Amino acid sequence: MKTLLLSQLEAYKEILVTQLEHFGYCGEFISDKEASIITDTRLLCQTRGIFFLIDYATITNNEKYITLATKLYKKIQATYYNPKLKIWTQYPTDKPNQSTSKDKMLYEYAFIITAYSKLYLLTKDSELLTHINRVIEIIFTNFYNHKCKFDKLTNLETGINQNALMHLFEALIEATSANEAYKNDLQQLGNNLLTEIYDNDNHLIRENSNQKIYEPGHSFEWASLILEAKQKNMFISNINENIIAVNAENLGITHQEFVVAELSKKDNIDTNIRIWPTLERLRYYAMISNKEKVVSTTKLLVKYFFSKQNLPFEYLNNDLLPQQEKVKSTTGYHIINCYKYVLPLLD
């Protein structure tokens, strides 16, 4: 099974690198012969591309992919960065009339921090730290800070949405690895955010702070992030990440072992099936070395979510048939972020 997972990473890497070498950036879909027009291609595709390349370089011990990640970083700075304003944009700066919601832009900024921090740890390029510091300054000015907390992100009806802020928490884990000065920011953000989104009755993560709606995939993802931050001595919390995962398992898994998309306060289940929640479930079980769950979940994953060419399907329908055969450039982040924990267990 380990050989198969490595073959899947290799297949994804091949089409990612082919597109990068031909076009100099990651399109929205890396399986296309032509990359999406860059003015219609998100910054997220580039930052998650760096994430994949850095972890692939680490897994394979091959510096070639660090070089490619560095080139992609330079492409971001040349294309998505405004040096006069010292800001980044969701689409290239020459795309007119960009209107990006705060949640979406915070999501983009979080992944700049994550990608640049991972690249810094391998290259020690001080310019990366300068950019990381600038992005965090932007976030604390325009989106969140410890004093005003989530005032600039709050919807009067639904409250705050957890997703972009979860990735900011993840980003600060990476930033703290690069610079311990961010440890206090990670601790305060985590405390403030979990106070808002952790449901003390159901022991799950609410999608929006004022609504009892849950995505089990995000609860598994939060369980992994809390565990990672604790293991790295970056975060202290009374919230038990294993209880979150147990409740996500008990309430959010179908009889066929798929992770449901959403649990609402009415217990309605949306049966749309995506690859990333299964990968997040698998990641958590790998992190706690639950080999039985790792093996069973991996078998499910490779049976339904990968083609004969070892490329991932993003969506399945209710008949468990693939609904999107194009390979998204953002999916590799979830795959490799899971497999880097799974592979050591399969030795």
Side-chain angles (χ1 to χ4, degrees):
M1 190 178 293
K2 182 175 183 178
T3 301
L4 177 58
L5 299 192
L6 288 170
S7 296
Q8 290 170 349
L9 290 179
E10 170 78 10
Y12 191 96
K13 179 268 299 181
E14 281 296 312
I15 58 173
L16 173 64
V17 170
T18 296
Q19 192 168 93
L20 277 173
E21 290 179 341
H22 284 182
F23 301 102
Y25 66 94
C26 301
E28 290 285 338
F29 297 98
I30 55 172
S31 53
D32 288 349
K33 291 183 179 179
E34 295 292 327
S36 56
I37 299 171
I38 194 165
T39 50
D40 294 327
T41 303
R42 290 170 297 163
L43 172 58
L44 184 69
C45 300
Q46 319 316 316
T47 51
R48 285 196 174 186
I50 291 173
F51 189 109
F52 183 92
L53 290 167
I54 292 297
D55 278 358
Y56 193 80
T58 303
I59 289 170
T60 60
N61 193 29
N62 190 330
E63 292 188 2
K64 170 186 175 181
Y65 303 106
I66 303 173
T67 301
L68 280 171
T70 300
K71 288 181 179 179
L72 192 49
Y73 148 62
K74 296 294 186 182
K75 183 68 173 182
I76 290 172
Q77 290 303 117
T79 310
Y80 294 85
Y81 177 66
N82 184 322
K84 291 183 178 179
L85 299 177
K86 295 185 178 180
I87 63 169
W88 288 257
T89 49
Q90 184 178 33
Y91 294 95
T93 52
D94 58 358
K95 182 181 177 69
N97 303 319
Q98 293 191 48
S99 180
T100 305
S101 71
K102 277 190 171 287
D103 277 340
K104 285 183 179 179
M105 202 60 227
L106 177 57
Y107 201 104
E108 295 282 4
Y109 276 130
F111 272 95
I112 295 175
I113 297 170
T114 297
Y116 286 16
S117 296
K118 289 173 75 69
L119 187 56
Y120 171 77
L121 285 169
L122 294 184
T123 65
K124 301 303 180 184
D125 182 348
S126 61
E127 187 180 69
L128 286 159
L129 280 183
T130 299
H131 292 314
I132 292 165
N133 292 339
R134 174 57 185 156
V135 173
I136 291 175
E137 178 186 355
I138 291 169
I139 289 172
F140 280 26
T141 300
N142 298 291
F143 299 91
Y144 162 86
N145 62 64
H146 305 317
K147 182 179 180 180
C148 298
K149 299 182 182 178
F150 310 103
D151 288 355
K152 296 182 180 181
L153 295 170
T154 300
N155 178 293
L156 291 177
E157 181 180 352
T158 60
I160 58 169
N161 183 276
Q162 67 81 32
N163 197 21
L165 288 159
M166 174 185 70
H167 287 297
L168 177 57
F169 184 84
E170 173 187 39
L172 287 174
I173 294 174
E174 296 292 347
T176 303
S177 298
N179 184 348
E180 286 192 358
Y182 291 118
K183 182 175 180 179
N184 183 58
D185 291 319
L186 173 64
Q187 182 68 51
Q188 289 195 63
L189 171 68
N191 286 343
N192 290 338
L193 183 53
L194 287 168
T195 297
E196 297 287 340
I197 63 173
Y198 181 68
D199 190 305
N200 288 287
D201 297 322
N202 294 295
H203 302 290
L204 291 168
I205 300 298
R206 292 192 294 270
E207 285 303 296
N208 297 290
S209 57
N210 292 347
Q211 296 178 317
K212 288 185 176 294
I213 297 175
Y214 320 92
E215 274 196 48
H218 281 147
S219 283
F220 281 117
E221 195 166 2
W222 263 109
S224 295
L225 288 172
I226 293 170
L227 177 59
E228 179 185 2
K230 287 180 177 179
Q231 287 177 337
K232 292 180 175 179
N233 296 315
M234 296 178 181
F235 185 58
I236 299 171
S237 175
N238 292 326
I239 291 176
N240 187 320
E241 66 280 355
N242 191 57
I243 290 176
I244 296 175
V246 166
N247 280 281
E249 182 80 14
N250 290 341
L251 298 173
I253 306 299
T254 70
H255 69 282
Q256 296 169 303
E257 292 289 298
F258 292 99
V259 184
V260 301
E262 181 181 289
L263 298 171
S264 77
K265 57 187 177 182
K266 296 180 180 178
D267 294 327
N268 294 324
I269 294 179
D270 182 340
T271 54
N272 178 41
I273 303 168
R274 293 186 65 179
I275 187 173
W276 72 262
T278 295
L279 286 164
E280 291 301 337
R281 179 187 184 217
L282 177 56
R283 174 164 68 131
Y284 180 73
Y285 287 127
M287 288 182 73
I288 63 169
S289 300
N290 185 332
K291 195 164 184 179
E292 181 180 352
K293 283 286 190 184
V294 166
V295 170
S296 63
T297 307
T298 302
K299 287 180 178 177
L300 179 86
L301 183 75
V302 301
K303 180 177 180 179
Y304 291 103
F305 285 105
F306 283 85
S307 69
K308 292 180 180 179
Q309 293 74 38
N310 283 327
L311 294 173
F313 300 124
E314 184 70 25
Y315 300 93
L316 303 178
N317 65 13
N318 292 338
D319 295 321
L320 307 183
L321 298 174
Q323 294 301 288
Q324 185 186 70
E325 297 196 16
K326 287 186 173 185
V327 179
K328 296 175 66 176
S329 60
T330 54
T331 299
Y333 152 78
H334 286 288
I335 296 171
I336 204 161
N337 201 27
C338 171
Y339 283 14
K340 69 186 179 188
Y341 294 104
V342 174
L343 289 169
L345 293 181
L346 301 180
D347 286 332

